[in-house]
Amino acid sequence: MGPVKADQRRSCVRPPHLDILWLPRAAMRSVEGDPSDCVLVVGVSRPKMALAILAVMLVSLFLTFHMLYDSALHSFQASNMEHPRPPLLLLSRRLYPAAARRLPQAIIIGVRKCGTRALLEMLYLHPMVQKAAGEVHFFDRDENYNRGLEWYRMKMPHSYPGQITIEKSPSYFVTPEVPERIRAMNASIKLLLIVREPVTRAISDYTQLRTHAAATAATASTAIPTAPPRAFEQLALVANGSINEQYRPLAISVYHNYIHRWLEVFPREQILVVNGDLLIEDPVPQLQKIEKFLGLESRIGTHNFYFNETKGFYCLRNETSDRCLRESKGRRHPRVDPYVISKLRKYFGEHNQRFYELVGEDLGWPEE
């Protein structure tokens, strides 16, 4: 090895414009053979410069991640315009304030056994609707209402601005305190009231109560004898053959006894009466009325439904799946004596007329 090369190896000089260290390779190797004169030692000799470089690197990484996330979120929303949902990953609300839990702008207030669950699931087909899971029972149960609106808000789903959050609790309709409590939360809220022909609703109510009673008896001790379930006719009529007005399934079907409370608190234009019988037979026209009532673009159509011959009612369809309501929905009703049905329809005739007058709409329910 020549004297010049050896001298270079002993005297590598750090370039003046870089704040890094260069050392002779001989200082790090004892074996010759590599033609390189000097080696770069990873490190920074000035602490302030090191901090500056580290800060620039961190900011660059953050901005890169931010851009990638924003791009992914945009793609996610664009690919799900048919039914946008909140992103799976949310950064701070300062950066992404759009998705949040909001108090409902619309509530399905009842009526029990008139198709409240079906209505909610059908409305959920619309890309601008978000629904609460389950029945919240905030306004009708004191133990929940006393927890406050923040507790209620946390029961709502995440939604984007422009989407409508909806919840349903059928017992709202028949609970006296509920109208005032809802108005205290939002005086301009939209209310959906779904009703069915009163006798059909009462029989459906009876069927559910009987099913629940049978399930409870099956899980009870076999040592305790249980009375056989009474027929609907026995419960709907008293011994002298008159209507049992105290029987709960019949009492709930007298809709005018409850709607007047709501009309004392809310203007009629904030309450939409949905015909549950027509919703079952042909859902699209009823849903289009609701879309207009809620101020939504018409998006739900015949492509969202298919008739299930086995179940005997319409099931739901979107771009990714087909589904029906759970087995407890659409139970077969027991056969009821036609004489009792005729008697009940005559009884409800006057009550129905009073309901029609209050809501300003004749639903055309049979009176015989």
Side-chain angles (χ1 to χ4, degrees), residues 295-363:
L296 295 171
E297 178 187 355
S298 182
R299 298 289 294 274
I300 304 175
T302 54
H303 63 281
N304 292 120
F305 300 94
Y306 68 98
F307 191 79
N308 187 303
E309 297 288 348
T310 303
K311 295 180 176 292
F313 54 80
Y314 283 95
C315 295
L316 314 182
R317 169 177 289 156
N318 58 27
E319 287 190 337
T320 59
S321 65
D322 298 346
R323 62 189 179 90
C324 292
L325 299 180
R326 62 178 185 266
E327 293 297 326
S328 62
K329 303 301 179 181
R331 295 186 185 93
R332 291 189 178 276
H333 294 174
R335 183 186 180 279
V336 177
D337 187 337
Y339 168 77
V340 174
I341 292 179
S342 177
K343 189 178 184 69
L344 287 172
R345 283 180 172 167
K346 289 179 181 178
Y347 164 76
F348 278 110
E350 181 181 348
H351 294 298
N352 293 342
Q353 290 300 324
R354 295 178 66 180
F355 178 68
Y356 298 162
E357 292 172 3
L358 288 171
V359 300
E361 182 178 355
D362 188 336
L363 298 176

Side-chain angles (χ1 to χ4, degrees), residues 179-219:
E180 288 286 358
R181 288 177 173 182
I182 292 181
R183 183 174 67 174
M185 177 193 71
N186 181 359
S188 61
I189 196 166
K190 300 289 184 68
L191 303 172
L192 298 172
L193 174 66
I194 181 170
V195 293
R196 295 192 68 186
E197 189 274 316
V199 179
T200 303
R201 194 220 69 81
I203 296 173
S204 180
D205 204 347
Y206 161 80
T207 304
Q208 177 170 296
L209 292 172
R210 188 181 69 173
T211 301
H212 288 175
T216 301
T219 57

